[in-house]
Amino acid sequence: QAFSLFVKAKEVPAAGQCAGGGGGPRWRCCRQAFEELAGIHRHVALQHGRDIGQQAGLAAEVSPSSGPAPAGNGDGLNGHSCSSPEISCTLPDTSHLSYEELTSEVGEVLLYYCYCEVKDPEKLCAWQKALCQHLHLTGKVRVASEGINGTVGGSKVATSLYIEVMLSQPLFKDILGKEDFKSSAGGAHCFPDLRVGVFKEIVPMGIDPKIVSYKENGIHLSPQEFHREVEQYLSQASQGQSDTILLDCRNFYESKIGHFQGCLAPDIRKFSYFPSYVDENLELFKDKRVLMYCTGGIRCERGSAYLRSKAVCREVYQLKGGIHKYLEEFPDGFYRGKLFVFDDRYAICSNEDIISACRYCGTLWDQYKLCSSQHCRQLVLTCPSCRNKGLTACCPVCQEKELKVTSRASGQTVKEECECTRRRPRVPIEHVLQRMLDTGK
């Protein structure tokens, strides 16, 4: 039954099929079109076995008193609501929508998170996967006992339906609001696929949520409040009188292409290194007021909680909604450069400032590309002129390997640490505050 429902959800609506039947795809899945039932069955069996297993477990909790209904039915995965009062497993009715409306490339990308107690993460995960597949959304969704964190892309019709369903989910009632969804121009094409899974944390900080909980976070500041705080900080810092630290808790490659003026941006590669960074630099935060920010706000929730757990700061504040929400209200405010995003766009912009440079020639450039060496997955800033010269790797070591190694016998790539990774300290130690005080740069 779960297999049949999954295949049913992949059917192309009649409006999207060729007139008279035949000659057109009857099913679409993973950006592939299928005209024969055997073809879609084979694809689903090979590529979505785990998905089917999860949906089968979810469907088992649904009353079996009546037969299966189409996947587009608004009452549930097979016509009924789940028995649990905490997680509704309903899917929206899309029977009135055409395939083109649901799959249009002109769409948007949604970024959101919700911290709440989830008693059955596996059920929530299965529902999320079914919902995203039903709406033809791609992206990444992390589910844990502490909540949900998602970045999904699709047509505007699909993303609007997704928000509507999420807001009607009893589990998120009075916690998640429409303003908590950050949107930007994009679509399903911004992600290679859909990945939904259950994790220990909805943002990977590497600290057990039971030890450092989001409930112990800092004080939220609206974009307007944060703007005023940054303005005051920059004024005082320029005179060497500030008792405040403006802390960017993102990774180095994010802050490299865009950040708030006068910020302290740790030279870390992963958010899971942030706790160690704090531990190594406790003296830096002693008796300070800390203004924290990140992309959408989620890293600040746990990051501020960890910083507060050290009991060294005077006060810890965080930007509600992150840079995303700040730029909506202050596109020409104190944030300069691009905003890094974790999808195939790599960056979105609100102003024309370029604050980073080409790795090879030093000309202003802020468009990331993946290192051309197949063993490496680092991002590199290399301008068109340098790329035309063949300078497409992140460092000389990778550039040399890229020339020598074009393929491997196994056909698989191997991830290695390259020169620029090895030279970067895992946890940098801040000896001075000069980077914070150079507000004019």
Side-chain angles (χ1 to χ4, degrees):
Q1 185 183 46
F3 189 95
S4 298
L5 287 171
F6 189 95
V7 172
K8 181 72 176 176
K10 300 302 177 183
E11 280 189 0
V12 176
Q17 297 179 19
C18 294
R26 293 182 58 195
W27 299 270
R28 288 186 184 274
C29 187
C30 298
R31 301 187 184 182
Q32 299 180 52
F34 302 90
E35 296 183 17
E36 302 293 332
L37 185 62
I40 184 65
H41 276 185
R42 187 180 304 110
H43 170 80
V44 171
L46 290 173
Q47 301 297 328
H48 299 286
R50 186 176 179 182
D51 301 340
I52 300 301
Q54 288 181 329
Q55 288 197 24
L58 191 63
E61 300 184 19
V62 182
S63 172
S65 57
S66 62
N73 189 291
D75 295 328
L77 285 182
N78 67 348
H80 297 268
S81 298
C82 288
S83 59
S84 170
E86 296 183 358
I87 300 178
S88 167
C89 300
T90 58
L91 297 178
D93 180 12
T94 58
S95 60
H96 61 292
L97 299 171
S98 69
Y99 179 78
E100 286 73 20
E101 286 178 294
L102 286 173
T103 60
S104 170
E105 283 201 10
V106 180
E108 61 185 358
V109 171
L110 299 178
L111 174 68
Y112 74 94
Y113 68 90
C114 180
Y115 275 105
C116 60
E117 184 180 351
V118 182
K119 293 183 179 179
D120 194 341
E122 292 289 348
K123 181 191 291 186
L124 180 61
C125 176
W127 172 71
Q128 267 296 305
K129 187 169 290 188
L131 174 61
C132 290
Q133 290 171 339
H134 184 64
L135 296 176
H136 299 274
L137 300 177
T138 59
K140 304 172 185 176
V141 180
R142 293 176 66 98
V143 176
S145 59
E146 63 173 357
I148 186 171
N149 175 19
T151 307
V152 296
S155 70
K156 288 193 174 182
V157 170
T159 53
S160 294
L161 269 175
Y162 182 81
I163 293 175
E164 183 181 318
V165 174
M166 290 293 288
L167 295 180
S168 66
Q169 173 61 254
L171 183 65
F172 307 134
K173 186 179 180 181
D174 300 326
I175 304 175
L176 190 65
K178 192 171 184 177
E179 69 281 358
D180 293 315
F181 289 86
K182 282 76 73 171
S183 65
S184 56
H189 61 276
C190 293
F191 302 90
D193 51 25
L194 172 67
R195 299 180 185 181
V196 185
V198 175
F199 300 84
K200 194 167 188 177
E201 305 170 276
I202 60 173
V203 61
M205 191 172 75
I207 304 291
D208 193 321
K210 295 178 182 177
I211 298 175
V212 176
S213 170
Y214 67 90
K215 297 176 182 179
E216 304 300 324
N217 60 354
I219 301 170
H220 288 94
L221 296 178
S222 67
Q224 299 93 331
E225 293 169 328
F226 195 83
H227 184 79
R228 288 195 296 268
E229 286 284 350
V230 174
E231 185 174 37
Q232 182 178 3
Y233 157 72
L234 292 175
S235 176
Q236 294 176 347
S238 63
Q239 303 172 36
Q241 301 174 346
S242 180
D243 62 350
T244 300
I245 292 177
L246 179 55
L247 181 62
D248 189 326
C249 63
R250 300 174 300 160
N251 305 322
F252 79 90
Y253 52 84
E254 298 175 78
S255 58
K256 188 173 186 177
I257 63 171
H259 54 247
F260 276 95
Q261 297 174 52
C263 74
L264 173 63
D267 195 18
I268 56 175
R269 287 192 298 114
K270 301 178 181 178
F271 183 56
S272 57
Y273 296 170
F274 181 78
S276 297
Y277 174 82
V278 170
D279 293 344
E280 293 289 344
N281 295 279
L282 285 178
E283 196 62 31
L284 184 70
F285 299 104
K286 189 174 182 180
D287 298 326
K288 296 288 184 179
R289 296 174 73 250
V290 178
L291 302 174
M292 296 181 68
Y293 69 89
C294 61
T295 305
I298 187 170
R299 280 178 279 188
C300 285
E301 301 286 8
R302 295 286 307 286
S304 64
Y306 187 82
L307 192 53
R308 291 188 70 236
S309 73
K310 297 301 172 180
V312 294
C313 302
R314 198 164 82 244
E315 295 166 330
V316 179
Y317 299 93
Q318 60 191 85
L319 173 57
K320 182 175 174 58
I323 303 166
H324 250 290
K325 285 297 182 181
Y326 179 86
L327 291 178
E328 287 180 9
E329 299 193 38
F330 300 98
D332 295 308
F334 296 117
Y335 186 89
R336 311 314 304 167
K338 304 297 187 294
L339 172 59
F340 184 92
V341 289
F342 291 90
D343 57 58
D344 290 351
R345 297 172 298 172
Y346 291 129
I348 55 180
C349 63
S350 66
N351 56 66
E352 299 302 316
D353 283 4
I354 300 177
I355 67 170
S356 51
C358 172
R359 189 248 185 269
Y360 289 96
C361 70
T363 189
L364 290 176
W365 188 250
D366 61 7
Q367 302 298 309
Y368 275 120
K369 294 284 186 182
L370 279 175
C371 175
S372 56
S373 179
Q374 65 169 344
H375 77 284
C376 179
R377 299 294 293 174
Q378 297 292 325
L379 292 168
V380 57
L381 293 172
T382 175
C383 69
S385 176
C386 289
R387 292 189 69 84
N388 289 336
K389 296 175 184 177
L391 301 173
T392 55
C394 65
C395 67
V397 170
C398 277
Q399 192 70 40
E400 184 179 351
K401 285 190 177 183
E402 206 267 331
L403 293 173
K404 289 182 178 179
V405 184
T406 56
S407 64
R408 295 182 182 272
S410 65
Q412 297 179 342
T413 58
V414 179
K415 189 174 181 180
E416 300 175 5
E417 282 200 349
C418 60
E419 181 185 79
C420 53
T421 302
R422 286 198 305 267
R423 291 191 309 188
R424 184 177 302 281
R426 173 170 175 165
V427 181
I429 299 176
E430 303 290 345
H431 296 290
V432 294
L433 301 181
Q434 191 59 44
R435 278 197 288 171
M436 292 194 315
L437 301 178
D438 288 339
T439 56
K441 297 182 181 179

